[in-house]
Each structure stands twice: as structure tokens, then as C-alpha cells.
Amino acid sequence: MTIKSDQDNSPCKDNCPCMDCCPLGSALSQIGGKWKIPILCALFQDGTTRFNELKRKIRGITNTMLVSSLKELEEEGLIFREQFMEMPVRVEYSVTDNCRDLMPILKQLAYWGAQVHTIK
Amino acid sequence: MTIKSDQDNSPCKDNCPCMDCCPLGSALSQIGGKWKIPILCALFQDGTTRFNELKRKIRGITNTMLVSSLKELEEEGLIFREQFMEMPVRVEYSVTDNCRDLMPILKQLAYWGAQVHTIK
DNA sequence: CGGGATCCCGAGCGATACTG
DNA sequence: CAGTATCGCTCGGGATCCCG
């Protein structure tokens, strides 16, 4: 672990500016892109959700982007995918514990974003 | 203010999935792009820094991207730009209080990103 | 129902040269 | 020194149709 102690208030590693294998960069890339945050929020708020249900809730997302975003989120360990071998097929998505750990931090970010230019 | 109380653990507003004017989305867009985090980290760690000094520290950044990123960060109120009318011109950049508020949150994100897949 | 396969466009970014 | 001005390209994302 190359991250400094809590006394250091820099968000990055010793060898900042955070290029290459920066944990902050990797974290941001995991939730980056146009649709991942909406997907995570939908799953987090409403719990386990099916594919087309998600598509309906997230207004404007295309089939392609929903599929690829879900796949990436699953590979990153943020969401869980369960497929039921019925006819027709049923697939359910839900957030992982790892994702639940992330949410309070994102909430702080949202607070920060909402307060911009209001404190002067 | 449409953000819920602390009892609510969702990072977004009432009408999630966070489309349109989501404060989380706006926060993420402010620090988005390829170079803003490295710039902020450099300024935060080393304090007030001149243009070409920044360019040297942030390996690989082009003139164009450094200029445009600095401009956006200044418009968003994250950094402060001071121009000294000397010859040759001297311009110094530094982080604002608003940016300093952001840093602890980014640090938490970095911790989270560093711990991914190590807790199992 | 839950995706895949294609095609396409434009923002984001890089490279280079120039300027007050 | 601190930027502008162009040009060109990659690639994230949109649209549409197809499939088991």
C-alpha cells in the first residue's frame, strides 16, 4: 500500500500527479461513462431489477449501452448478475457489497456538487 | 434542496436514476476528462504553480489540453489564476477552498479504488 | 426476453506550428 | 513565458436490425 496516512490530505499516491496506476483514476474509470451512475443508482434504490425493467427506468439509454455498461460493472465487481434458465429467459441485476461501500462516498460527492457556488 | 437526509443512503436526488441536473453528475463532470485530476493533485500537493512548471510535472500533457483544462477548472471554481504583468508574463495557479473541500472526498474514493478486490 | 452485430457520427484528445 | 490556431484521429456512444 503506497497511500499515505490520514495526516496527508492528498487523494493520490506518493508519486502524484496521479498518472498510470492511480487508485483514484481507477475508481473514477469504474464509474465513468455516460450511464454507469444512473444504472448504479437505479439498482441501489430499487434493489434487484430485470434487464428491460432497467431499460425502462433509465430514460434514453440504448440497448447497446445498457448491455455494455452492465457487463463492465459486473467485471468490476460493482453489480451482480443472475440468470434464470426459464422460458423466456429472466436475468436479474443487483448491487454488490463493494458497490454499497461506494455509495456513501458518491453521496458526499453529490453534496459537494450541490453546494458549489452557494457557500461563496 | 432536493437531497434527502443522512438516513437516505442514495447518492442522488429524489428522482433518481440521476439524469439531467443530478448534483453527482455535475460533480463528476467537473473533475472528468483525462487531465483534471492530475492537475488538481499537482496544485494541491505543491501549492501555487506556474504554467510551464505544471506542464513539466504532468507528464504527457499537451499545451492545448493544459490550457483548456485549466480554463474549465477556473470557471468551475476549483482553481485560482493570477496573472502578473511582468515581462515575460508570469501566471500562477492554485487551488481554491472549494477544491480543498473536495480533496478529502477524492481521497476516500482513492482508498475505495485501492481496496477493490482485496477484501473479498 | 435479453441480448448481438453493424454502421455511423462527433466530442475529446493529440501533434505541430505560431504569437504577444 | 504562457498561451493560440489548425488539423487529424480515435473511440465512446447512438441508431437500427437481427437472434436464440
Side-chain angles (χ1 to χ4, degrees):
Chain A
M1 176 69 76
T2 55
I3 292 187
K4 293 181 186 174
S5 72
D6 281 324
Q7 274 93 44
D8 169 36
N9 41 14
S10 163
C12 290
K13 299 197 298 180
D14 295 332
N15 54 345
C16 232
C18 45
M19 305 304 291
D20 305 326
C21 51
C22 167
L24 176 55
S26 101
L28 285 172
S29 78
Q30 287 184 57
I31 58 174
K34 187 172 181 180
W35 298 106
K36 287 187 181 177
I37 292 291
I39 290 173
L40 291 183
C41 288
L43 287 178
F44 190 71
Q45 290 195 329
D46 303 342
T48 301
T49 311
R50 298 180 61 168
F51 182 88
N52 278 325
E53 212 176 336
L54 265 179
K55 194 176 165 190
R56 256 173 269 121
K57 286 178 181 171
I58 303 170
R59 311 269 304 185
I61 195 171
T62 61
N63 230 318
T64 319
M65 287 314 297
L66 183 53
V67 171
S68 69
S69 301
L70 287 171
K71 190 171 297 178
E72 286 183 31
L73 288 171
E74 190 196 1
E75 288 169 356
E76 294 154 2
L78 285 170
I79 67 173
F80 180 64
R81 187 192 117 112
E82 192 171 15
Q83 179 166 352
F84 300 88
M85 284 313 188
E86 310 169 345
M87 228 15 197
V89 188
R90 174 166 55 112
V91 178
E92 293 185 346
Y93 294 92
S94 53
V95 297
T96 62
D97 288 344
N98 183 30
C99 181
R100 259 180 278 271
D101 292 338
L102 173 66
M103 286 305 170
I105 305 176
L106 292 187
K107 190 184 181 185
Q108 288 184 264
L109 251 184
Y111 271 106
W112 177 86
Q115 287 174 353
V116 171
H117 296 149
T118 64
I119 28 181
K120 179 65 167 80
Chain B
M1 179 67 78
T2 54
I3 292 187
K4 292 182 186 177
S5 72
D6 281 322
Q7 273 94 44
D8 171 34
N9 42 14
S10 164
C12 291
K13 299 195 299 180
D14 295 331
N15 54 344
C16 232
C18 45
M19 304 306 289
D20 304 326
C21 53
C22 167
L24 177 55
S26 102
L28 285 173
S29 78
Q30 287 184 58
I31 58 174
K34 189 172 179 179
W35 298 106
K36 287 188 180 177
I37 292 291
I39 291 173
L40 291 182
C41 287
L43 288 178
F44 190 71
Q45 290 195 329
D46 303 343
T48 301
T49 311
R50 299 180 60 169
F51 183 86
N52 278 325
E53 212 177 335
L54 264 179
K55 194 176 164 188
R56 258 173 268 122
K57 285 177 182 171
I58 303 171
R59 313 267 305 184
I61 194 169
T62 62
N63 232 319
T64 319
M65 287 314 297
L66 182 52
V67 171
S68 71
S69 300
L70 286 171
K71 191 170 296 179
E72 286 183 29
L73 288 171
E74 190 196 0
E75 289 169 355
E76 294 154 2
L78 285 171
I79 67 173
F80 180 65
R81 187 194 117 111
E82 192 170 13
Q83 180 167 351
F84 300 88
M85 282 313 188
E86 309 169 349
M87 219 29 190
V89 188
R90 175 165 55 110
V91 178
E92 293 185 346
Y93 293 91
S94 53
V95 297
T96 62
D97 288 344
N98 184 29
C99 181
R100 259 182 278 273
D101 292 338
L102 173 65
M103 285 305 170
I105 305 176
L106 292 187
K107 190 182 180 185
Q108 288 184 266
L109 250 185
Y111 271 106
W112 178 85
Q115 287 174 354
V116 170
H117 296 149
T118 65
I119 26 179
K120 180 63 171 66

